[in-house]
């Protein structure tokens, strides 16, 4: 690209960067850094990038750093900012495509952290099939509250406890001050850390990337090794799609099930698969989850945090367990140069309680479930591993809200009764827009002690920190006239998570009558949200932009 007389102007501009003749022939490695001073998971990424660049230089490449945007879902929660979170995923993917193509980069190191940045960056390299290696910023350490390990989810739930009179303002402030003690992505198995775990099993990151805590010096060493591997991967010509095969996606679904990852992984895995031109139907999530034991129980489902998983053996330790049952296809390649089997065979499992054995799982089947029924003909998603046993099956009257704010006001006022099914609609990909997360309502319900008796369903989505019978991604969404738009207060909703069903006790004739009377709400958006609404597809596609995929949507009756 940079050779020959016709490229003299291009070389002249590279010289303006400080490059010289000795750099000719070296691969140009873009370092896509999501550093900013707004997100705790990103505040330390300058140091990570410096080590990456050092590794690139050591391996004979030329590192060229640039930045991307990012949204902190915790800071964006429960206000207009949440409309922009999922939207940012597409913006990040597009920005990387522009930078890669516009500057003819030979390879990439991706430095993401937090919810939409990881999938957004991976979507870009899947789309372009360019050589790339990922090194995330790593997870935050858990905080300490009166001798108990805590993280951000505990603060959200403390808000519910405060409004219910369980704790006072002083205790709420004490929790607030100690829950997020370091840099890094929030300490539980929330969306950011879930996606880093899946990136590692997909083969795009070196072993340890998902679980080495952000403040540990081991992460700096990993960053330097990542820079060097990016040069090697580029020289080998290994594009991202080499690693994003149907077999590697099946491995990702198995790991997802074993960990009990965030429900957002369904959206992001489908979007990445779409960019890689791999069919990933929703039914495959149920198929693999149904055959995979749930081995690891991290916050919000259990008391342990990602730092505990690191100490216990990390992602490779979990894969080693799954391989004992033949649940991992070990011959898939990784950017390390090893096969996945070679990577996990050397793993040491140091804690049989954090990473349980196949013979002693938390649950015999995996952490996520996709439900179908007359309320969700195109699917809905629940984090089964975070649902209390008494809520796995539930029948109750709908309590319908058209906004998250209205639902929160009802919870805070004590208007949500045990046994109800709270419905929050018109918050899907188009309706939100941007499919906002419902962490505040789920946390408020849990904090008020209602997670034992109240379910929540929505065409929006949930934070990975959500727990309880929280069923999201209901498709079709309300703004498209899906059945969730037709619900009325008092309609009986039946949830059967083991049976993978979600239904409303209404006849098809009654649904037809209500559909005839329903009207599309008047809505007008401009700017980035207007463009997003015009292009976004349903949650069942992964909320991708543009034409829906030919396959992989997964429609159930």
């Amino acid at each position: 690209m940079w050779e020959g007389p016709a490229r003299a102007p291009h070389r002249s501009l590279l010289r303006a960067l400080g490059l010289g003749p000795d750099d000719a022939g070296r691969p140009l490695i873009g370092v896509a850094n999501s550093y900013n001073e707004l997100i705790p998971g990103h505040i330390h990424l300058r140091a990570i990038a410096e080590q990456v660049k050092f590794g690139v230089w050591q391996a004979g490449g030329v590192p060229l750093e640039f930045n991307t945007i990012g949204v902190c879902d915790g800071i964006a929660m429960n206000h207009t900012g949440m409309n922009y979170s999922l939207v940012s995923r597409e913006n990040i993917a597009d920005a990387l495509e522009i930078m890669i193509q516009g500057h003819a980069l030979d390879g990439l190191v991706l430095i993401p952290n937090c919810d939409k940045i990881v999938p957004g960056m991976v979507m870009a390299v899947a789309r372009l099939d360019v050589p790339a290696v990922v090194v995330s910023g790593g997870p935050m350490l858990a905080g300490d509250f009166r001798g108990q390990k805590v993280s951000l989810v505990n603060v959200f739930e403390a808000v519910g406890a405060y409004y219910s009179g369980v704790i006072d303002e002083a205790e709420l402030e004490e929790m607030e001050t100690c829950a997020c003690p370091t840099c890094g992505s929030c300490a539980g198995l929330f969306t950011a850390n879930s996606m880093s775990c899946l990136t590692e099993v997909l083969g795009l990151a070196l072993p340890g990337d998902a679980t080495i805590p952000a403040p540990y010096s081991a992460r700096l060493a990993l960053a330097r090794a990542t820079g060097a591997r990016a040069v090697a991967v580029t020289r080998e010509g290994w594009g991202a799609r080499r690693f994003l095969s149907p077999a590697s996606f099946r491995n990702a679904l198995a790991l997802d099930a074993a960990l009990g990852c965030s429900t957002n992984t369904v959206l992001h895995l489908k979007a990445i698969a779409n960019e890689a031109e791999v069919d990933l139907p929703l039914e495959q999530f149920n198929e693999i989850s149904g055959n995979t034991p749930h081995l690891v129980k991290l916050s919000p489902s259990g008391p342990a945090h990602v730092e505990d998983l690191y100490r216990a053996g990390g992602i490779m330790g979990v894969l080693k367990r799954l391989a004992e049952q033949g649940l991992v296809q070990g011959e898939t390649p990784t950017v390390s140069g090893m096969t996945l089997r070679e990577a996990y065979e050397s793993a040491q499992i140091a804690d049989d309680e954090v990473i349980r054995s196949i013979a002693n799982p938390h649950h015999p089947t995996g952490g996520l479930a996709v439900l179908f029924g007359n309320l969700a003909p195109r699917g809905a998603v629940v984090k089964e591993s975070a649902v209390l046993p008494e809520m796995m099956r539930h029948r109750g009257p709908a309590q319908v809200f058209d906004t998250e704010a209205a639902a929160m006001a009802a919870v805070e006022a004590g208007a949500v009764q045990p046994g109800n099914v709270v419905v929050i609609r018109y918050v899907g990909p188009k309706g939100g827009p941007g499919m906002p997360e419902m962490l505040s309502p789920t946390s408020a319900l849990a904090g008020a002690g209602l997670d034992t008796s109240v379910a929540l369903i929505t065409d929006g989505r949930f934070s990975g920190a959500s727990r309880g019978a929280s069923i999201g991604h209901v498709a079709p969404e309300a703004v498209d006239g899906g059945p969730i738009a037709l619900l009325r207060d008092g309609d009986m909703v039946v949830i059967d998570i083991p049976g993978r069903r979600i239904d409303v006790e209404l006849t098809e004739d009654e649904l037809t009558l209500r559909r005839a009377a329903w009207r599309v709400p008047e809505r007008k958006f401009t700017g980035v949200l207007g463009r997003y609404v015009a292009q976004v597809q349903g949650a069942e596609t992964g909320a991708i932009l543009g034409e829906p995929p030919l396959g992989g949507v997964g429609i159930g009756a």
Side-chain angles (χ1 to χ4, degrees):
M1 177 65 190
W2 304 107
E3 298 174 355
R7 298 302 184 193
H10 305 74
R11 293 193 297 274
S12 179
L13 290 167
L14 290 176
R15 286 176 184 270
L17 299 176
L19 303 182
D22 291 343
D23 299 313
R26 293 172 178 255
L28 301 182
I29 306 297
V31 179
N33 188 359
S34 59
Y35 164 81
N36 63 59
E37 294 182 342
L38 286 164
I39 306 177
H42 297 226
I43 191 68
H44 61 303
L45 296 187
R46 278 178 175 169
I48 299 290
E50 288 305 311
Q51 292 299 317
V52 165
K53 290 187 284 187
F54 187 36
V56 171
W57 281 118
Q58 282 185 317
V62 176
L64 298 168
E65 183 181 354
F66 61 92
N67 287 90
T68 69
I69 65 163
V71 172
C72 175
D73 278 25
I75 295 173
M77 197 70 65
N78 197 23
H79 62 88
T80 302
M82 185 46 66
N83 296 113
Y84 291 85
S85 175
L86 188 58
V87 174
S88 74
R89 184 188 74 178
E90 318 308 316
N91 186 290
I92 291 164
D94 291 348
L96 258 68
E97 177 183 356
I98 290 167
M99 293 298 289
I100 295 164
Q101 298 291 69
H103 301 96
L105 298 172
D106 298 305
L108 275 293
V109 175
L110 309 180
I111 310 179
N113 227 24
C114 302
D115 295 24
K116 310 308 171 296
I117 298 90
V118 179
M121 286 190 173
V122 174
M123 285 165 65
V125 297
R127 180 186 302 172
L128 299 177
D129 195 23
V130 294
V133 186
V134 179
V135 57
S136 75
M140 184 184 288
L141 294 175
D144 183 275
F145 177 75
R146 302 178 182 181
Q148 173 190 357
K149 280 188 175 182
V150 294
S151 65
L152 181 65
V153 64
N154 299 96
V155 186
F156 275 97
E157 293 186 2
V159 171
Y162 169 76
Y163 280 119
S164 301
V166 177
I167 64 173
D168 59 20
E169 188 173 355
E171 190 169 346
L172 176 61
E173 183 179 1
E174 183 182 350
M175 176 70 77
E176 171 192 330
T177 59
C178 66
C180 300
T182 72
C183 61
S185 50
C186 295
L189 192 64
F190 313 146
T191 303
N193 292 325
S194 293
M195 286 309 302
S196 288
C197 292
L198 299 183
T199 302
E200 190 172 324
V201 73
L202 286 169
L204 291 174
L206 297 180
D209 179 61
T211 55
I212 297 173
Y216 284 17
S217 297
R219 184 153 293 278
L220 298 177
L222 181 73
R224 190 163 62 252
T226 297
R229 281 309 303 168
V231 176
V233 167
T234 299
R235 285 180 168 152
E236 291 286 350
W238 292 345
R241 292 189 186 183
R242 169 185 171 86
F243 309 102
L244 298 173
S245 66
S248 69
F249 277 103
R250 290 186 69 87
N251 288 340
L253 295 186
L255 180 69
D256 197 322
L259 294 177
C261 288
S262 163
T263 53
N264 284 313
T265 59
V266 178
L267 286 176
H268 300 324
L269 282 176
K270 284 187 69 66
I272 293 167
N274 179 68
E275 297 288 3
E277 299 183 351
V278 172
D279 187 31
L280 190 64
L282 280 176
E283 288 85 355
Q284 197 166 98
F285 287 80
N286 279 343
E287 172 206 336
I288 292 177
S289 184
N291 294 321
T292 306
H294 178 212
L295 303 180
V296 178
K297 205 172 178 68
L298 303 183
S299 174
S301 304
H305 294 78
V306 180
E307 63 192 75
D308 300 302
L309 179 57
Y310 169 65
R311 174 181 52 80
I315 296 307
M316 293 302 145
V318 181
L319 293 176
K320 189 172 187 176
R321 289 283 204 225
L322 294 176
E324 296 169 4
Q325 189 92 347
L327 297 171
V328 179
Q329 298 184 47
E331 298 312 310
T332 56
T334 73
V335 291
S336 69
M338 299 183 289
T339 65
L340 193 63
R341 176 177 286 110
E342 290 170 327
Y344 65 65
E345 279 184 342
S346 61
Q348 300 295 317
I349 299 172
D351 190 326
D352 288 335
E353 182 54 34
V354 174
I355 304 176
R356 289 197 174 185
S357 67
I358 294 290
N360 183 37
H362 291 285
H363 303 103
T365 57
L368 288 183
V370 180
L371 314 182
F372 296 99
N374 72 350
L375 192 48
R378 296 182 186 171
V381 181
V382 62
K383 189 172 184 176
E384 184 176 12
S385 60
V387 180
L388 293 171
E390 57 266 39
M391 291 300 293
M392 295 295 284
R393 290 184 173 88
H394 182 74
R395 179 179 180 272
Q399 189 172 0
V400 183
F401 303 94
D402 288 347
T403 67
E404 178 188 5
M408 277 298 294
V411 176
E412 291 167 7
V416 175
Q417 300 302 311
N420 285 6
V421 176
V422 172
V423 178
I424 305 177
R425 63 189 178 189
Y426 295 107
V427 289
K430 294 179 186 176
M435 207 177 179
E437 291 181 347
M438 299 291 120
L439 177 58
S440 292
T442 58
S443 298
L445 289 169
L450 291 171
D451 57 326
T452 61
S453 60
V454 171
L456 192 156
I457 67 173
T458 179
D459 52 5
R461 59 194 178 90
F462 296 106
S463 164
S466 293
R467 63 185 176 95
S470 305
I471 300 166
H473 307 200
V474 172
E477 63 175 296
V479 80
D480 282 338
I484 192 172
L486 311 179
L487 288 181
R488 297 173 183 168
D489 286 343
D491 289 341
M492 295 304 296
V493 176
V494 181
I495 298 165
D496 181 1
I497 295 173
R500 305 301 190 243
R501 298 285 307 184
I502 180 167
D503 294 283
V504 58
E505 292 182 347
L506 295 174
T507 65
E508 191 57 41
D509 287 345
E510 176 62 21
L511 288 171
T512 299
L513 285 172
R514 293 188 186 186
R515 188 172 291 110
W518 176 83
R519 297 293 179 267
V520 180
E522 290 188 15
R523 305 155 64 249
K524 183 178 181 181
F525 299 102
T526 59
V528 64
L529 293 183
R531 293 191 295 274
Y532 185 82
V533 168
Q535 298 181 66
V536 71
Q537 302 298 313
E540 73 276 11
T541 73
I544 62 172
L545 299 187
E547 294 297 318
L550 294 177
V553 171
I555 298 177

